[in-house]
Amino acid sequence: MDAKPQQNPEPTHSTLPPQGVTSVPPPPAPVRTTLRRAAFGALAGAALVTGAVIVVPDDAEEAAPPSPGPVARAEAAAAAGSPASLSDLTALIGDRQKWVETHPSDASSWAVLGTAYVEWGRRSADAAYYPRAERALRRSLAAQPGERGNAEAWVGLGALANARNDFLAAKKWGEAVRAREPKNWTAYPVLIDAYYGLGEYEAAGKATEKFGTLRKGAPALARASEMYRNQGWREDALATAREAADRATAPAAKAVALHRLGDLAAERGEPAEALAQYDAALRTDRTHLASLAGRARALAALGRTDEALADYRTVTAKLPRPAYVLELGELFASLDLDGDAHTQYTKLRELLTRTRSAGVDESLTEARFEADHGDPEAAVELMRTEWAAQRRSPAVADTLAWSLHRAGRSEEAVQYAERAVESGVRDASYAYHLGMIESALGQDGPARGHLEEALRTDPYFSPLAAPLAREALGALGDPAAGGPTDMRPPAPDPSAEPEPSREPSPEPAKKPRPEPSPSAAPAPRAKPGASATP
């Protein structure tokens, strides 16, 4: 992995306090012209929320500018809204740190620096960068308030809120930018992530469509694929994700697109295809550790557990996201390696404490852990708090339902489990949870149907839960032959002759037009960015 930005991320001449000790020194900052920094800092800050900033030659008079350096490459990704590589992002952070040392009132450069910290913290799973990001963004707003045109700092604060899973705050910042600058495309990725986090799927869809009209190419296609996936339109999601991967050119952007293809294959229960896509992503960008986690998941589904464990150990050491640590613990548990599983669960608790201290809300992962491996009542309280805070995504509904079930309150749980399954997201774990809750309530028919749905959607959805789903389905047995007897109409009495009706026969009612089947392919529709060039 590339070196992290330097230990003192804000300039030594600023009034900001020194930072923690989790970082290592970066490579030397590249030499830049002061004129270029001042002219294009605002564009950089606005675009970094989606991973990029715009490129401008150092000398416009030159007919053939030199090959771009790492800072220029990071900036060059902005026009397409694509992510920069980690090494280029590190160089950009070093460049902005050096610049604001002597220009502490440059609001745009502070916004660039703060948003770059957000991106680094998100992609390295190092929550210590989020407080630094907030300080830099607040410095930007102190130098130039958002009401006076500093939209890039507002966008940066929205991206920071999303990174902390504070979706209500992200929604506030994104909508503030959209209200003042409705054609500022950088506000829409913030809004899309916030709306999905809050379960506001209709608003997320509208924001996705608007983003596609403002920013064409691979980024818009990737967002459209996400929208189709969340609506349950798998074929559209796959086709659009493939087009996004075809259009992506920079290695970092290409790896993200290939990773999405891997995720879609895994959700379809195709681990071999998922493994191929994750491997392709890692060949494209070896630092894309999210694909290494996906590779571990696919290897476990294929029964190649030794390789899966090796990949999980690597990714949890380099990218310690709580969800990955929980996955590794559950893989150990599925192999009856309870001691190793317990070690991972202990690490998870420590990691959750650290992320909480940095202002990151990891309640969803914490509740999933507590429901199955700790205190289900604690999981219920966590999810109750999330629900009361208007964070009502399908994932929260599903986790609340499962926590209630594990705490012995299945009757209360079923409404939330149904909400998750009916959201449109075709997640095998949602159907599994609903099936188990229905089974506990004695609803054998619906339980059988949802457990079958879970295993049909993805037979390998969890190394622990998938075998339990098969076991529960076997315990339910086959449905009774012929169906329930009380559903059959009574036999007619042959001795009874019906009297002829004296009333005129009414006109036959017109049959309503049948609704399209949920499993049918959606009607063709314009996909954001589909007709654009990258």
Side-chain angles (χ1 to χ4, degrees), residues 294-339:
R295 185 177 190 274
R297 227 174 283 125
L299 287 168
L302 293 168
R304 296 161 59 179
T305 52
D306 287 345
E307 296 170 82
L309 290 171
D311 282 351
Y312 265 128
R313 288 189 180 101
T314 300
V315 77
T316 54
K318 294 184 176 182
L319 190 66
R321 290 178 178 164
Y324 298 161
V325 178
L326 178 57
E327 288 175 21
L328 176 55
E330 291 188 334
L331 180 57
F332 278 129
S334 72
L335 300 171
D336 294 325
L337 300 173
D338 294 338

Side-chain angles (χ1 to χ4, degrees), residues 48-127:
L48 260 172
V49 64
T50 54
V53 276
I54 199 162
V55 63
V56 178
D58 281 333
D59 188 348
E61 304 272 339
E62 293 182 12
S67 298
V71 174
R73 288 196 301 269
E75 293 174 337
S82 301
S85 71
L86 287 176
S87 58
D88 292 349
L89 184 62
T90 300
L92 179 63
I93 289 173
D95 180 74
R96 297 302 165 179
Q97 289 170 341
K98 187 176 180 64
W99 170 257
V100 294
E101 285 181 9
T102 53
H103 298 78
S105 298
D106 187 342
S108 295
S109 290
W110 279 113
V112 172
L113 182 60
T115 310
Y117 283 150
V118 174
E119 183 73 359
W120 181 270
R122 185 183 65 82
R123 291 169 62 183
S124 65
D126 189 346

Side-chain angles (χ1 to χ4, degrees), residues 6-78:
Q6 67 189 41
Q7 183 170 343
N8 295 314
E10 288 88 10
T12 55
H13 298 297
S14 80
T15 59
L16 299 177
Q19 304 306 321
V21 295
T22 59
S23 309
V24 295
V31 177
R32 308 279 291 157
T33 64
T34 59
L35 184 61
R36 181 179 176 186
R37 284 195 188 98
F40 300 102
L43 292 173
L48 260 172
V49 64
T50 54
V53 276
I54 199 162
V55 63
V56 178
D58 281 333
D59 188 348
E61 304 272 339
E62 293 182 12
S67 298
V71 174
R73 288 196 301 269
E75 293 174 337

Side-chain angles (χ1 to χ4, degrees), residues 49-50 162 188-194 196 204-205 207-209 211-212 217-230 240 244 260 528:
V49 64
T50 54
N162 275 328
Y188 289 91
V190 169
L191 286 171
I192 293 166
D193 290 342
Y196 279 135
T208 299
E209 291 173 357
F211 178 63
L221 289 164
R223 291 291 183 173
S225 175
E226 179 185 27
M227 178 180 69
Y228 295 141
R229 179 261 179 194
N230 289 333
T240 313
R260 175 171 294 277

Side-chain angles (χ1 to χ4, degrees), residues 144-477:
Q144 180 184 355
E147 295 83 357
R148 290 171 48 194
N150 192 358
E152 60 266 31
W154 279 0
V155 170
L157 286 169
L160 173 61
N162 275 328
R164 285 171 158 168
N165 296 323
D166 185 357
F167 301 118
L168 276 175
K171 176 182 174 181
K172 180 192 76 171
W173 292 116
E175 289 182 346
V177 175
R178 183 177 62 184
R180 295 181 64 86
E181 302 178 16
K183 293 186 177 180
N184 184 340
W185 65 269
T186 62
Y188 289 91
V190 169
L191 286 171
I192 293 166
D193 290 342
Y195 289 143
Y196 279 135
L198 295 170
E200 299 178 12
Y201 275 30
E202 183 177 353
K206 290 179 180 178
T208 299
E209 291 173 357
K210 182 64 175 179
F211 178 63
T213 66
L214 297 173
R215 181 57 48 177
K216 308 294 184 181
L221 289 164
R223 291 291 183 173
S225 175
E226 179 185 27
M227 178 180 69
Y228 295 141
R229 179 261 179 194
N230 289 333
Q231 292 172 341
W233 298 354
R234 285 187 166 183
E235 294 80 6
D236 286 71
L238 178 59
T240 313
R242 282 175 174 164
E243 188 174 355
D246 290 342
R247 292 196 180 204
T249 54
K254 191 82 167 180
V256 169
L258 292 168
H259 175 81
R260 175 171 294 277
L261 287 171
D263 284 350
L264 290 173
E267 289 179 354
R268 296 193 307 270
E270 300 174 7
E273 172 64 17
L275 179 61
Q277 297 294 349
Y278 294 135
D279 280 342
L282 289 165
R283 286 194 299 271
T284 303
D285 180 3
R286 62 182 177 82
T287 69
H288 196 257
L289 294 173
S291 289
L292 188 61
R295 185 177 190 274
R297 227 174 283 125
L299 287 168
L302 293 168
R304 296 161 59 179
T305 52
D306 287 345
E307 296 170 82
L309 290 171
D311 282 351
Y312 265 128
R313 288 189 180 101
T314 300
V315 77
T316 54
K318 294 184 176 182
L319 190 66
R321 290 178 178 164
Y324 298 161
V325 178
L326 178 57
E327 288 175 21
L328 176 55
E330 291 188 334
L331 180 57
F332 278 129
S334 72
L335 300 171
D336 294 325
L337 300 173
D338 294 338
D340 292 314
H342 179 73
T343 298
Q344 292 303 314
Y345 298 154
T346 300
K347 289 180 180 178
L348 175 61
R349 289 189 184 278
E350 295 169 353
L351 181 57
L352 289 169
T353 299
R354 290 200 302 272
T355 56
R356 191 182 302 114
S357 66
V360 181
D361 181 359
E362 286 285 357
S363 297
L364 198 60
T365 301
E366 186 173 359
R368 287 170 175 166
F369 165 70
E370 293 290 355
D372 281 326
H373 312 291
D375 182 356
E377 289 291 351
V380 171
E381 288 305 311
L382 285 166
M383 290 297 95
R384 288 282 194 209
T385 301
E386 294 294 288
W387 197 262
Q390 303 300 312
R391 184 181 174 187
R392 299 181 178 181
S393 67
V396 171
D398 169 72
T399 306
L400 175 54
W402 189 242
S403 301
L404 286 165
H405 167 70
R406 295 284 292 173
R409 289 184 261 169
S410 299
E411 288 186 3
E412 190 179 354
V414 70
Q415 60 178 317
Y416 296 104
E418 288 173 343
R419 178 166 176 154
V421 168
E422 293 167 1
S423 67
V425 179
R426 296 175 67 181
D427 189 308
S429 65
Y430 295 177
Y432 163 69
H433 289 155
L434 178 54
M436 295 296 282
I437 292 167
E438 289 167 332
S439 179
L441 295 173
Q443 301 173 9
D444 290 357
R448 186 181 296 107
H450 284 115
L451 291 172
E452 289 174 345
E453 179 186 345
L455 294 170
R456 184 170 59 250
T457 300
D458 179 7
Y460 320 99
F461 67 92
S462 163
L464 278 179
L468 293 176
R470 286 187 281 272
E471 181 181 329
L473 190 58
L476 287 170

